[in-house]
Amino acid sequence: MLSRRALLAAALQDVTFTSKVDVVNLLATVRDKRGQLVTGLTADDFELREDGRPQRIQYFAQQSDLPLRLGLLVDTSISQEKVLPAQKGAAYRFLDQVLREKTDLCFLIQFETLARVRLGFSNSREQLETTLAGMDTPTRREMRAGSGTALFDAIASGAELMKTQTGRKALIVMSDGVDTSSDFRVNMAVEEALRADCLVYALYFFDPAFYFAGMPDGKAILLRLAQQTGGTLYELSKKMSPEQAFAALEGELRSQYSLGYVSDAPKGY
């Protein structure tokens, strides 16, 4: 059995918060030393501190049935040409397994040189899958007109869509993490996601053959986006297929704890 200290340390690895006046709400994912999700905890298993000061937990629940508000952000830049079919195939299965048509909503953003909302919030698997099927990498003619990858702009666009939503909100990014054409920068994208109470989950798809002159460190960018918003990076490999990554992501979305407290600090502290 994990100690409370160990549980708290695990919980704080994946946390995001919002503040309205003095009310602070947090979502936490708890894992054991083997990386397995820990369920069945109570408020007594958590300790909250604000700037070192203990806070009383006033709201607590293990959230398993909250409506999901998801955004699938699909990198269709030319560097993803060979891995895009695997991305789309895994995304089809994820939507089929996770999306509850009476409860959950999902939108689709495609990004290459620009970020484009291809489909707004929808609860129709058929509509989502049809739109996803139509996403493709640029043609050679289109590439001559300009090419790039607007990852950070895509996250900012997704966060803007999320601002008016309630429930558990997550942006799911499928990309190699290389950004070459965004107006936003990585810190700005993180700030936009935090303002929207939105976690970023990243699936690291990359084609090493494309970067023959050396692989940019896109994984570090995706890790930063995920960690600083409370999400997770899934690095795909022989041990982690896209299907396994999406299954793990689903487990996180369905196994988080919601905690709330009223800050003891005066307004403007």
Side-chain angles (χ1 to χ4, degrees):
M1 180 67 181
L2 292 173
S3 68
R4 290 183 183 179
R5 184 181 297 276
L7 289 171
L8 177 61
L12 292 180
Q13 291 177 5
D14 296 295
V15 66
T16 186
F17 71 89
T18 60
S19 178
K20 295 181 179 180
V21 190
D22 293 327
V23 179
V24 181
N25 300 301
L26 304 98
L27 284 177
T29 300
V30 183
R31 296 180 180 276
D32 61 21
K33 292 181 179 180
R34 297 174 297 173
Q36 300 300 309
L37 291 168
V38 177
T39 59
L41 301 179
T42 69
D44 291 336
D45 293 310
F46 291 83
E47 179 180 322
L48 290 179
R49 291 179 178 271
E50 181 180 278
D51 295 329
R53 304 185 313 278
Q55 303 292 320
R56 184 169 68 88
I57 298 173
Q58 295 177 292
Y59 315 102
F60 179 87
Q62 181 169 356
Q63 303 286 8
S64 59
D65 296 318
L66 277 180
L68 295 179
R69 298 295 181 261
L70 305 175
L72 276 180
L73 280 55
V74 184
D75 184 347
T76 58
S77 60
I78 195 62
S79 68
Q80 299 288 282
E81 185 174 23
K82 291 185 178 180
V83 298
L84 186 58
Q87 286 187 31
K88 291 161 72 171
Y92 293 142
R93 287 183 284 276
F94 174 73
L95 290 172
D96 187 57
Q97 293 172 10
V98 174
L99 194 71
R100 302 167 297 183
E101 294 196 56
K102 293 183 179 180
T103 307
D104 304 328
L105 295 172
C106 181
F107 63 80
L108 298 174
I109 290 180
Q110 175 180 0
F111 63 96
E112 46 198 61
T113 306
L114 300 173
R116 295 175 288 162
V117 179
R118 291 292 305 274
L119 181 66
F121 281 106
S122 174
N123 63 358
S124 167
R125 292 192 189 96
E126 181 179 0
Q127 190 178 33
L128 287 160
E129 291 175 4
T130 299
T131 304
L132 187 60
M135 296 185 186
D136 209 347
T137 52
T139 64
R140 300 298 172 185
R141 178 178 297 179
E142 291 169 334
M143 286 180 59
R144 286 195 291 271
S147 62
T149 309
L151 167 62
F152 307 144
D153 286 357
I155 291 172
S157 295
E160 185 64 29
L161 289 174
M162 289 290 194
K163 285 181 179 178
T164 59
Q165 298 295 313
T166 58
R168 183 165 305 149
K169 299 183 282 187
L171 299 177
I172 302 167
V173 181
M174 296 185 286
S175 176
D176 60 14
V178 178
D179 187 299
T180 60
S181 61
S182 284
D183 292 325
F184 281 78
R185 294 293 174 259
V186 61
N187 62 311
M188 298 164 67
V190 168
E191 289 171 3
E192 290 300 307
L194 291 174
R195 288 193 185 100
D197 292 334
C198 187
L199 288 76
V200 175
Y201 291 91
L203 277 68
Y204 181 49
F205 284 87
F206 76 100
D207 175 15
F210 179 81
Y211 294 100
F212 57 88
M215 176 64 189
D217 197 6
K219 183 173 73 171
I221 292 294
L222 293 177
L223 181 62
R224 178 177 174 182
L225 288 166
Q227 286 186 336
Q228 293 188 357
T229 61
T232 302
L233 169 68
Y234 297 99
E235 182 176 0
L236 304 180
S237 65
K238 291 181 179 179
K239 295 182 179 180
M240 173 69 77
S241 69
E243 291 76 17
Q244 289 172 317
F246 271 119
L249 195 160
E250 179 188 2
E252 286 204 30
L253 291 173
R254 302 291 189 200
S255 304
Q256 291 177 321
Y257 296 90
S258 177
L259 301 91
Y261 70 96
V262 176
S263 174
D264 66 355
K267 297 179 181 179
Y269 176 80

